[in-house]
Amino acid sequence: MEKEIKVKDFPNIRTVYLTGEINEDSLLQFKKDLDALIKADKDIFNDNVKNLEEISPILAETYENTIKFPPIILDITSPGGVMYAGLALYDIIRDYNLNTDHKIIAKTTGLVASAATLVMLACDERLAGKNTTFLIHSILTFMAGKLQDVEDDIAESRRLSDVAKNIYIERTNITLEQLKEIDKLKKDWILTSEEALEYGLITKII
């Protein structure tokens, strides 16, 4: 009697959320949620390989070489927040999309502003609700203390500003001249979904 092939499906709910302010707490929560989802995938994958090996090693090998994990949705609604946390999120997500079998897709609703736009840009596929609002502005600084402290803060703010500019230029159709104009005018640049699509901030309106 032939053994029954038992292959489990991956979870239907494959969403991690980034809502509210981006800071150390939201960074930690994102890591925990993503790690839990990845672990669940790996547990199912390993169980499936084990079950298939009992039937046919060739079948198990074929499964290992051809399986594709369903994409993970990163649901973003955020006014932005701490630049360091935003850049950490960017690097984590970019690494997954470039170097692992798991792909993360950004889905944006409501307001996506400041550092949240950088996090979104870590994803190659970026979806937006038709009423989503995007906001880009110069880095905010809160400087106080001795003169050297202020000078150090200015230097670091300029460095972070350059990092952000490079991400926008690399991942969108926004030019350096447009970003410099934002700094010059000291104004928020607010974009609709249609404008965000035109400038390459997003890849599709849903």
Side-chain angles (χ1 to χ4, degrees):
M1 183 177 181
E2 294 184 357
K3 292 185 178 179
E4 181 182 356
I5 298 176
K6 296 181 180 179
V7 177
K8 299 178 184 177
D9 293 328
F10 295 102
N12 291 326
I13 300 176
R14 306 182 61 76
T15 303
V16 289
Y17 294 91
L18 184 62
T19 58
E21 183 179 352
I22 295 174
N23 52 34
E24 290 183 1
D25 291 338
S26 59
L27 172 61
L28 179 60
Q29 187 61 53
F30 171 84
K31 287 181 177 179
K32 289 173 62 176
D33 293 344
L34 183 61
D35 286 347
L37 199 155
I38 299 297
K39 182 181 183 303
D41 277 355
K42 289 182 177 179
D43 288 344
I44 291 172
F45 175 83
N46 291 333
D47 286 346
N48 285 340
V49 170
K50 182 178 179 181
N51 290 334
L52 290 172
E53 282 178 340
E54 294 178 358
I55 299 169
S56 167
I58 295 177
L59 192 60
E61 184 179 358
T62 301
Y63 175 83
E64 287 183 276
N65 293 333
T66 59
I67 188 63
K68 290 187 177 181
F69 295 105
I72 297 168
I73 303 298
L74 171 60
D75 195 315
I76 307 175
T77 303
S78 171
V82 179
M83 180 61 74
Y84 295 113
L87 292 175
L89 284 165
Y90 178 91
D91 285 344
I92 292 168
I93 296 165
R94 199 80 196 110
D95 180 61
Y96 267 96
N97 280 332
L98 289 174
N99 302 314
T100 77
D101 294 328
H102 283 86
K103 303 304 176 188
I104 302 175
I105 296 173
K107 178 184 176 184
T108 62
T109 54
L111 173 66
V112 179
S114 189
T117 61
L118 298 176
V119 175
M120 172 188 70
L121 290 175
C123 301
D124 295 321
E125 188 172 351
R126 304 182 291 274
L127 314 177
K130 64 180 181 179
N131 296 312
T132 305
T133 299
F134 300 88
L135 186 150
I136 299 173
H137 61 62
S138 297
I139 288 179
L140 299 177
T141 58
F142 301 93
M143 293 174 288
K146 297 178 181 178
L147 176 60
Q148 186 59 52
D149 295 331
V150 173
E151 290 177 346
D152 290 344
D153 285 342
I154 291 173
E156 178 62 0
S157 295
R158 285 176 175 162
R159 185 190 71 83
L160 290 175
S161 180
D162 288 342
V163 171
K165 285 184 174 74
N166 287 336
I167 291 174
Y168 286 124
I169 293 168
E170 178 184 349
R171 303 288 293 160
T172 75
N173 302 325
I174 297 171
T175 66
L176 178 59
E177 289 70 26
Q178 289 169 316
L179 295 171
K180 286 182 176 179
E181 189 69 10
I182 295 173
D183 290 341
K184 179 180 178 181
L185 298 176
K186 300 179 182 179
K187 291 177 63 177
D188 294 338
W189 186 14
I190 299 174
L191 301 96
T192 64
S193 290
E194 289 79 8
E195 291 168 329
L197 183 62
E198 177 184 351
Y199 285 106
L201 270 174
I202 60 172
T203 57
K204 185 178 180 181
I205 297 174
I206 55 175

